[in-house]
Amino acid sequence: MPLSEHEQRMLEQMERALYAEDPKFASALEGSGLRTYTRRRVYQAVAGFLVGIALLMAGMVAKQIWVSVVGFLVMLGCAVLAVTGWRKAPKPGEQPAAVVRRQVRPKRSMMDRIEQRWQRRRDEQQGH
């Protein structure tokens, strides 16, 4: 469930207060869970890639083409997972909260944007 704008502002205020109060503790907490998750995902993908190589070789030795094809597909899928997981992993010192917020923020539909513009124009006209 996405966070509302008010909840996002409150979260940002709490983050700033935590940084102001105890910057060492805040930097220790920063992104450790996300970084651990993506690192684990990359390791799993590498292990799956190795299993895919084993299947490919076993299929070649046993002269079972379908086993080799399955091994190749496993290798391909795991390679994609490893590369995408590696790119998404936050660097040490990088603030991952911006990444999380960007994913959580709901996409506004075209009608929502039009309604907001219309409301803004009405407010501006009433204010003048």
Side-chain angles (χ1 to χ4, degrees):
M1 178 174 205
L3 296 175
S4 68
E5 290 182 30
H6 174 69
E7 291 170 332
Q8 288 178 358
R9 282 193 304 268
M10 293 295 291
L11 181 61
E12 288 172 3
Q13 288 175 356
M14 290 188 312
E15 287 175 355
R16 282 192 296 259
L18 179 62
Y19 275 103
E21 196 172 297
D22 194 357
K24 189 174 180 180
F25 178 68
S27 63
L29 289 178
E30 178 179 280
S32 61
L34 183 61
R35 200 170 32 240
T36 302
Y37 169 75
T38 52
R39 188 179 304 139
R40 187 178 337 123
R41 182 176 169 197
V42 169
Y43 290 152
Q44 289 172 347
V46 169
F49 188 84
L50 295 175
V51 168
I53 290 175
L55 284 172
L56 182 73
M57 293 298 175
M60 292 174 71
V61 168
K63 296 184 181 178
Q64 297 291 324
I65 294 175
W66 66 273
V67 175
S68 295
V69 170
V70 168
F72 176 76
L73 292 176
V74 168
M75 287 171 49
L76 182 64
C78 289
V80 168
L81 284 176
V83 170
T84 57
W86 192 262
R87 287 184 182 169
K88 290 180 182 179
K91 308 293 183 269
E94 184 181 28
Q95 188 170 357
V99 174
V100 172
R101 268 188 238 113
R102 197 173 26 231
Q103 292 171 350
V104 169
R105 189 175 69 197
K107 291 187 176 185
R108 298 185 310 184
S109 69
M110 185 176 78
M111 289 304 294
D112 290 338
R113 291 191 306 259
I114 291 172
E115 287 177 14
Q116 286 181 348
R117 288 179 192 160
W118 179 260
Q119 187 64 36
R120 201 176 326 128
R121 287 180 187 149
R122 286 183 55 200
D123 293 343
E124 287 174 359
Q125 287 177 355
Q126 289 176 357
H128 292 293

